[in-house]
Amino acid sequence: METKGGINLVDEQVFSDSLAKAAFIRTRFQELYQLGYLDPIQSVLLKSKDSLWLSVDTGKKFEWVTLRQGNVESVVLVKAGADMKRFNQKSFDYRQVYRLFESIIKESENKGYPFASVKLDSLERDGNKFSAALNLDLGPFITFDTLKVTGDSKTKPKFLSNFLQIRPGEPFSQRKVQNGIQQIRNLPYLRWSEEPELSFQNEEATLYLPINDRKINSIDGIIGFLPNELEGGRLLVTGQFDVMLHNLGGSGRNYELHWQRFNQFSQNLKVAAFEPMLLGSMIDMGVSFSLLKEDTTFLNRDFRLSFGYRFNSDGYLKFFTRRQAGDLLTSTGLSEITALPVAGDFRFNNYGVNYAHFWLDDVFFPRRGAFAEMEFAIGNKNLIENTAIPPSLYEGVDLRTLQYYLQGRFEKYFYFNQQWGLFTRLSGGIVQNENLLLNDLFRLGGLQSIRGFNENFFFANNYIYLNVEPRFYFDTYSYFMIFADMGRLENNIQGLPVDNTFSAGMGFSLETGNGIFNFVYGLGGSNVQDFAINLSKIHFGYTGRF
């Protein structure tokens, strides 16, 4: 095909049949229309049994004289982001007209007019120049009716109405419908049984939600067998107990309890509660308390109050205040020390922000997509003078200092086919203060971070680690996996060298009728632990779901 006129182009193609040839010619003409050549003329140069030579004269390029807003209100054009000046004395571009129509219709759909249509009116042509005006037909004004839950979910329609901001009597909004569908996908305790439906009747829109409750409430108990450092050759039995209750009463309330014993003298406790849409607003409230007893060294407490807002279907922003406190557990020998101990008594009041973003196909059991989270907090930390420590050791020490921390993680799920997938996670964090203590530091190690090590095995003032986990799925929620975890940890408080950790292992997750059975075997190597079979870690447990 040879094109003449406004552009010159020689294009040769081979086609399998006449339909492919016709589709190619039609596509080329559409490209000319989009560039402003509205009156191309086609002629046959030469034709044989298996060949065709075409010549296309594009003709003159059409231009706008002006495009007037017509009956479209100025506020609609502004909210749609439409600039009418870009059409004055400019080349005719069908793509720009299409985008203008689309933006006006979308703005109308979100203001109660889902059947709006727009066209060009008062069209005038002078040679190869156009002038026209917009003509918007809004159609009937539509309001939302009551949401209808058509699945077996016991979630209250009133909660969903407030959560999705789709309330009876309010103007219809296509954006709210689309965002609402995505927001429900991000609720782990609900799942779609089929596609949602939208019905228009008597100038009202009814959204039908075919959602079912998912068995996500859990009671989880795990037993671990670890080498007992205090009694050589014997095993230490550790334990963990978790209770997670979601969507209580069909109103989105969540409660959690976690208890863990990760060595002979250490324990960890955390309780948390979540109340959505506090007092009918779009603000969520969360409260949590945790307690960490580190053998006979120190006791940490952490109280946190947060307020969150879901400002779009995929992003969640939280502001929080946090009170952290740490105390030494024993005073034995402290009166004779000549330098302050690495752990100490402190109070840390901080304020921060947390942002999470979801790109997951299923927030409860993702197979593809990504998740990112970042948290930053800053505040004043006060060192508390321990009466068992000589007062002279506190002389010259600034007891009130500024402290901050930053943590983040990014998870990526790959799903190659029905059987093969890959999970990856990159995590990092840093905490800074001129009087940093051992009981200020991040705790790492175990099933939720760097596997192949005891729970909370590492102390770190900054860290970064990578988890890589290929998976072989043999059922919807069941898979075999192997893993490799690599990390770089710094502990400047104890003057330790940089620790480059590595661990590897294997395991499986097996879905049963009312829960999931997990088994993981791992080996880990670091500056303080050899990569050896006699130091391997075995964890197994059953998570009951109801």
Side-chain angles (χ1 to χ4, degrees):
M1 175 182 287
E2 179 181 0
T3 310
K4 300 178 181 179
I7 56 176
N8 294 314
L9 177 65
V10 176
D11 196 352
E12 296 183 0
Q13 295 287 332
V14 178
F15 306 106
S16 58
D17 52 42
S18 60
L19 292 178
K21 178 196 69 177
F24 170 76
I25 295 174
R26 184 168 57 252
T27 299
R28 301 299 285 175
F29 271 72
Q30 289 174 349
E31 293 173 358
L32 292 174
Y33 297 150
Q34 291 176 356
L35 293 173
Y37 299 98
L38 304 182
D39 194 22
I41 300 175
Q42 171 185 311
S43 59
V44 178
L45 293 179
L46 184 63
K47 184 176 182 181
S48 64
K49 184 177 181 181
D50 56 0
S51 301
L52 176 65
W53 286 265
L54 295 179
S55 175
V56 178
D57 186 352
T58 62
K60 294 182 178 181
K61 191 172 186 177
F62 283 74
E63 297 179 351
W64 282 107
V65 174
T66 181
L67 179 60
R68 303 180 299 277
Q69 72 180 71
N71 67 339
V72 182
E73 296 181 0
S74 298
V75 65
V76 174
L77 293 175
V78 171
K79 291 185 177 181
D83 182 9
M84 303 302 293
K85 294 180 180 180
R86 65 184 177 184
F87 295 95
N88 296 339
Q89 308 300 326
K90 300 293 178 63
S91 298
F92 183 91
D93 188 339
Y94 172 76
R95 293 168 296 184
Q96 288 187 348
V97 177
Y98 175 80
R99 287 192 292 267
L100 174 64
F101 284 6
E102 189 177 50
S103 60
I104 292 174
I105 289 175
K106 282 185 176 180
E107 180 61 27
S108 302
E109 288 177 341
N110 296 324
K111 297 299 181 183
Y113 299 97
F115 301 104
S117 62
V118 63
K119 63 182 180 178
L120 293 178
D121 195 15
S122 303
L123 187 65
E124 297 178 3
R125 175 180 174 181
D126 183 9
N128 65 326
K129 296 181 182 295
F130 280 114
S131 63
L134 297 176
N135 187 326
L136 176 62
D137 181 5
L138 290 173
F141 180 71
I142 305 296
T143 59
F144 280 117
D145 194 6
T146 307
L147 290 177
K148 303 293 185 182
V149 177
T150 58
D152 64 11
S153 175
K154 296 180 176 59
T155 304
K156 295 179 179 178
K158 184 177 180 181
F159 164 72
L160 288 173
S161 178
N162 291 331
F163 178 76
L164 303 179
Q165 300 183 60
I166 297 178
R167 302 180 178 93
E170 291 188 351
F172 175 86
S173 171
Q174 185 65 33
R175 183 186 298 114
K176 285 186 177 181
V177 173
Q178 293 172 346
N179 288 345
I181 292 172
Q182 182 59 41
Q183 286 178 359
I184 288 179
R185 289 194 175 98
N186 289 336
L187 291 177
Y189 47 81
L190 296 178
R191 63 179 176 182
W192 294 103
S193 60
E194 53 186 278
E195 291 298 317
E197 295 182 359
L198 193 61
S199 173
F200 296 95
Q201 199 170 33
N202 299 327
E203 297 185 349
E204 290 182 331
T206 302
L207 181 60
Y208 294 90
L209 303 175
I211 52 177
N212 295 336
D213 289 326
R214 171 179 263 163
K215 290 184 177 180
I216 192 175
N217 297 328
S218 66
I219 297 179
D220 180 9
I222 295 178
I223 298 175
F225 297 94
L226 310 175
N228 193 326
E229 293 87 352
L230 300 180
E231 300 179 19
R234 302 186 63 180
L235 290 177
L236 171 66
V237 179
T238 63
Q240 177 175 326
F241 180 72
D242 299 282
V243 176
M244 299 182 68
L245 304 176
H246 296 268
N247 195 27
L248 291 185
S251 58
R253 293 188 181 94
N254 302 332
Y255 297 97
E256 299 180 30
L257 184 148
H258 305 275
W259 171 84
Q260 186 181 60
R261 179 189 180 191
F262 43 83
N263 66 41
Q264 192 162 359
F265 298 108
S266 300
Q267 295 190 55
N268 191 0
L269 173 68
K270 180 179 179 180
V271 292
F274 175 80
E275 176 70 25
M277 294 176 293
L278 186 65
L279 300 177
S281 70
M282 294 308 298
I283 304 298
D284 303 329
M285 185 181 74
V287 59
S288 67
F289 173 78
S290 64
L291 182 146
L292 170 64
K293 180 178 180 292
E294 182 68 20
D295 51 59
T296 58
T297 308
F298 61 80
L299 177 70
N300 278 6
R301 287 92 65 202
D302 187 327
F303 176 80
R304 177 167 173 155
L305 177 66
S306 64
F307 297 92
Y309 178 69
R310 187 175 290 99
F311 60 91
N312 60 40
S313 60
D314 299 321
Y316 193 73
L317 182 67
K318 288 190 294 187
F319 295 94
F320 62 87
T321 178
R322 190 176 179 188
R323 166 79 170 182
Q324 295 172 266
D327 292 293
L328 297 177
L329 287 175
T330 180
S331 59
T332 304
L334 292 181
S335 60
E336 302 174 359
I337 61 176
T338 59
L340 289 175
V342 292
D345 306 278
F346 74 91
R347 303 293 183 267
F348 179 31
N349 297 317
N350 56 83
Y351 304 90
V353 59
N354 176 289
Y355 178 73
H357 202 94
F358 303 85
W359 300 274
L360 301 172
D361 62 336
D362 187 332
V363 70
F364 172 62
F365 191 87
R367 291 197 178 205
R368 59 169 59 89
F371 170 78
E373 183 178 24
M374 186 72 70
E375 179 170 299
F376 173 78
I378 189 170
N380 291 314
K381 184 176 79 172
N382 296 318
L383 290 182
I384 307 299
E385 294 190 44
N386 192 305
T387 56
I389 296 176
S392 60
L393 297 182
Y394 289 100
E395 294 180 1
V397 176
D398 190 355
L399 299 181
R400 182 179 174 88
T401 53
L402 192 68
Q403 180 167 312
Y404 72 86
Y405 72 86
L406 176 68
Q407 280 185 290
R409 60 178 170 139
F410 177 77
E411 299 177 355
K412 177 66 176 176
Y413 296 83
F414 301 89
Y415 189 55
F416 305 117
N417 53 48
Q418 290 186 348
Q419 292 185 313
W420 291 102
L422 175 68
F423 163 69
T424 60
R425 175 172 56 200
L426 180 66
S427 299
I430 182 172
V431 57
Q432 287 284 0
N433 178 259
E434 60 183 84
N435 296 324
L436 210 55
L437 301 170
L438 185 68
N439 43 337
D440 277 320
L441 303 187
F442 298 115
R443 305 301 303 274
L444 302 167
L447 288 175
Q448 303 303 317
S449 55
I450 306 175
R451 291 162 288 191
F453 298 92
N454 293 351
E455 295 293 328
N456 288 354
F457 184 74
F458 298 102
F459 291 85
N461 57 279
N462 66 72
Y463 70 90
I464 185 170
Y465 66 84
L466 174 67
N467 306 118
V468 180
E469 184 180 296
R471 295 175 174 177
F472 175 79
Y473 295 94
F474 57 90
D475 202 350
T476 305
Y477 300 118
S478 302
Y479 59 87
F480 294 107
M481 62 87 169
I482 59 176
F483 71 85
D485 299 340
M486 296 149 281
R488 183 185 186 277
L489 316 176
E490 289 188 13
N491 182 350
N492 296 332
I493 307 307
Q494 294 178 298
L496 300 177
V498 174
D499 202 342
N500 295 304
T501 67
F502 175 78
S503 61
M506 64 185 67
F508 64 86
S509 179
L510 177 64
E511 181 190 24
T512 63
N514 295 306
I516 297 177
F517 178 78
N518 296 285
F519 177 88
V520 175
Y521 172 85
L523 296 172
S526 70
N527 292 344
V528 292
Q529 177 176 300
D530 295 331
F531 192 84
I533 294 180
N534 64 322
L535 295 176
S536 61
K537 306 297 181 288
I538 299 176
H539 296 271
F540 61 88
Y542 179 78
T543 302
R545 300 194 181 277
F546 56 93

